[in-house]
Amino acid sequence: MNFEDYRGIWVFIEIKDGKVAPVSLELLGAGRELADKRKSQLAGLLIGDGVEEYVQTLYEYGADTVYVYDDPLFNHYRTESFMRAVFDCCEKHKPEVLLYGATANGKDLASAVATDLPTGLTADTTILDIEEDTGLLLASRPAFGGNIMATILCKKYRPQMATVRPKVMKALTPQEGRSGELVRETVDLKEDDIRTKVLEIVRETTKKSSIDEADIIVAGGKGLGSKAGFELIHQFAQVIGAAVGGSRDVVEAGWIPHQNQVGQTGLTVTPKIYFAIGISGAIQHIVGMQNSGLIIAINKDPDAPIFQTCHYGIVGDAHEVVPLLIKAFEKALDRRVSHV
Amino acid sequence: MLHIVACIKQVPDTKIIKMNPKTNTMDRASAPAILNPYDAHAVEEAVRLKKRYGGLVSVLTMGPPPAVKAIKKCIEIGADEGYMISDRAFAGADTLATSYALTKALEKISKIHPIDLIICGKMTIDGDTGQVGPGIARRLDIPPLTSVKKVVEVNEKERYMVIHRKLEDGYEVIKSPLPCLLAVEKEINKVPYSPLPNMMKAARYKPIIWAVADLEDIDRTQLGLKGSPTIVSKVWAPPKPQGGTILDGTNDQQVQQLLDIVLEKKELFQ
Ligand SMILES: Cc1cc2nc3c(=O)[nH]c(=O)nc-3n(C[C@H](O)[C@H](O)[C@H](O)COP(=O)(O)OP(=O)(O)OC[C@H]3O[C@@H](n4cnc5c(N)ncnc54)[C@H](O)[C@@H]3O)c2cc1C
Ligand SMILES: Cc1cc2nc3c(=O)[nH]c(=O)nc-3n(C[C@H](O)[C@H](O)[C@H](O)COP(=O)(O)OP(=O)(O)OC[C@H]3O[C@@H](n4cnc5c(N)ncnc54)[C@H](O)[C@@H]3O)c2cc1C
């Protein structure tokens, strides 16, 4: 394998709900930095049915080139069809690095492609860097349930591949009118060649949780004592117009639904303000909220680890402090809410 | 007869694991070894399918000799047979080398009983990459189905199955030919307490153990550390955040201070 032949940083572009998935834009931001460091090009790899309309967005977010596979065959994500496109494109154009969002589909696709190429694949990366002269990708990731960080290298194979967690990289501010090169590609594949069939897609009416996009989150933990005690969290959230989140332990206790869980096995959130009330601050919780703008912790234990991660903390009993907060905010915001 | 093989791994219990603050390394002795929780669901699903359709459930693990304990746990859950591949040569395998070794073992198992279905966990709680399942499927050239939250139907005669694959806002219904590989979510089932007869069987159970030499057509350069393209070059404890300002005074005073801090972002409170 001649490493000289492998050039450029690529990002697999995921389309979700009729737009480019936020993680793909974040990866273009991270990829731009890597490409500049290597004095090489940044490319997007876009696969789908009727997806050419997204190309301009990709240029604006930093891509120099976009490889497009546009075919009804790619109407739904299926491992077998998508991996063929990615595999062929890698063989043909030989990228040095290929990044995927660590989403369900991104991880599925990356694992399949890595096996066939074959090459190394670093999972769930949260920190990316590249050696300027050698092009060696330094991908760091949490492991052992977040207890340690590990830097993973792939020295002997190209392309170097990694899946990257959503919300840890930053998208660039889009540059309106920026343009690039469009490269249309096709695969030699027919519907009959693909063994799996998507029979139906069911959208669940219990839509995705609002904590994903909220500016303010009030999150509660086991320290609230009971489902009834957790009502304080709902009341406070209502007064300040926040979404409600929680630790895994309160989800397991059945106080709030799973889609409100923040953390490693829940959602990664980045609100402008995050209240952590009666939450101890276990590492698995911290990884899901540490990039919030302003973190405020309320806990009765002065040694609770959450105080290491917060910007401001109150040591006190939630059952005393939160009612005071509710009153103070109601007054300050001139807002009365009936507590039923 | 439906033959289902669940791939399982023994892992340190990351809830209990402690870090050595001086060396920033893991104190492995502090963590008891357990069956990877996601794999318990994989085995349970295999056992449920056996109850529904009849058949045979085998489990396969790659690991050091103590991993026999994880196989016994699967026998408790209701598996019939346990296979283990264990050899120095497998040590240090990343997901590419792991899926290669497991595939070679699966090929050997399929000569004893042809395999209809392979079930893996969504991921492990130590490496937690979730890459091994799709890797095995590619190597065997069978469809990988990840994020599986429900098995709707297995049709052994017509050689297909139907599953629900979890999406962020719902699920998709997928039909796949058999054999195929599932990587299952925790919500697919609940693992109940094991019945006493299973526990008695497990206590006596001895799995079939193969070394590298027992596997056929194996390319040793693809195994273990040598066969692993990824290298863990550095391990460190996640940086400790410095900690914030702890407010003081009475509860009322603290709340007032907090109000001032937060209301600086007044634009957020429409
Ligand atoms: C693989 C793995 C994945 C995980 N994923 C997640 C995840 O995604 N999200 C997550 O949150 N956790 C996750 N966990 C669990 C995590 O390790 C912790 O167990 C969990 O976050 C603890 O929840 P808690 O802080 O609500 O409860 P506890 O740890 O019980 O903490 C309660 C806190 O409340 C305080 N308190 C008690 N009474 C009061 C009071 N009256 N007023 C104020 N404070 C009070 C206590 O001092 C304590 O600090 C995961 C664990 C593992 C092993
Ligand atoms: C700190 C650290 C970081 C690592 N990071 C990476 C990385 O980024 N990329 C990489 O390629 N490797 C990585 N590895 C190596 C990886 O953990 C091992 O390859 C491991 O053997 C398999 O990966 P996993 O535990 O992530 O399994 P996963 O892919 O998460 O496991 C999915 C399923 O595959 C099956 N399975 C997995 N392992 C076995 C087994 N031994 N026997 C039977 N069934 C099994 C189980 O059903 C399991 O539920 C890392 C290891 C360490 C210690």
Side-chain angles (χ1 to χ4, degrees), chain A residues 92-274:
Chain A
K92 189 167 164 195
H93 300 288
K94 299 191 170 24
E96 182 167 46
V97 170
L98 174 50
L99 307 174
Y100 309 72
T103 59
N105 288 350
K107 294 184 73 152
D108 180 283
L109 177 63
S111 316
V113 173
T115 311
D116 276 57
L117 277 173
T119 191
L121 174 61
T122 303
D124 287 307
T125 309
T126 56
I127 306 173
L128 278 174
D129 200 1
I130 197 160
E131 282 184 7
E132 254 172 80
D133 42 347
T134 62
L136 189 64
L137 185 73
L138 314 172
S140 303
R141 59 171 303 234
F144 292 98
N147 289 291
I148 61 165
M149 288 292 294
T151 304
I152 313 279
L153 311 177
C154 173
K155 287 188 171 161
K156 289 186 290 196
Y157 293 83
R158 292 293 178 270
Q160 306 168 87
M161 303 213 306
T163 60
V164 182
R165 285 249 172 105
K167 296 203 173 175
V168 294
M169 306 289 159
K170 286 247 173 326
L172 301 173
T173 315
Q175 244 179 290
E176 219 179 294
R178 187 177 180 278
S179 79
E181 186 194 0
L182 170 68
V183 182
R184 291 193 185 87
E185 299 283 353
T186 53
V187 281
D188 176 22
L189 196 68
K190 292 182 302 298
E191 180 56 42
D192 287 347
D193 301 332
I194 310 171
R195 290 173 290 189
T196 56
K197 305 289 168 209
V198 177
L199 301 182
E200 192 185 351
I201 294 194
V202 181
R203 305 279 174 205
E204 250 142 22
T205 43
T206 50
K207 51 156 183 44
K208 72 175 180 177
S209 95
S210 58
I211 69 168
D212 216 10
E213 280 157 13
D215 277 337
I216 312 176
I217 295 175
V218 177
K222 245 355 216 320
L224 274 309
S226 63
K227 191 165 182 165
F230 203 85
E231 272 307 308
L232 268 182
I233 299 290
H234 290 290
Q235 285 178 18
F236 182 36
Q238 205 184 346
V239 167
I240 63 172
V244 171
S247 67
R248 187 174 82 171
D249 287 24
V250 306
V251 169
E252 282 181 355
W255 301 355
I256 54 165
H258 179 74
Q259 61 264 34
N260 296 55
Q261 181 185 319
V262 173
Q264 183 183 314
T265 43
L267 285 174
T268 302
V269 295
T270 48
K272 304 221 168 77
I273 308 178
Y274 189 86

Side-chain angles (χ1 to χ4, degrees), chain A residues 120-124 141-144 148-150 152, chain B residues 6-11 26 28 36 38-39 42 60-63 92-98 102 119-134 136 230 232 235:
Chain A
L121 174 61
T122 303
D124 287 307
R141 59 171 303 234
F144 292 98
I148 61 165
M149 288 292 294
I152 313 279
Chain B
C7 294
I8 60 121
K9 183 182 174 187
Q10 190 182 51
V11 295
M26 258 172 336
R28 275 179 186 265
N36 178 39
Y38 289 96
D39 298 350
L60 166 65
T61 194
M62 174 176 89
D94 73 354
T95 56
L96 197 71
T98 299
L102 290 174
I119 310 186
C120 289
K122 174 196 176 84
M123 60 182 190
T124 64
I125 60 167
D126 61 343
D128 60 16
T129 65
Q131 292 171 186
V132 171
I136 293 172
T230 66
V232 179
V235 168

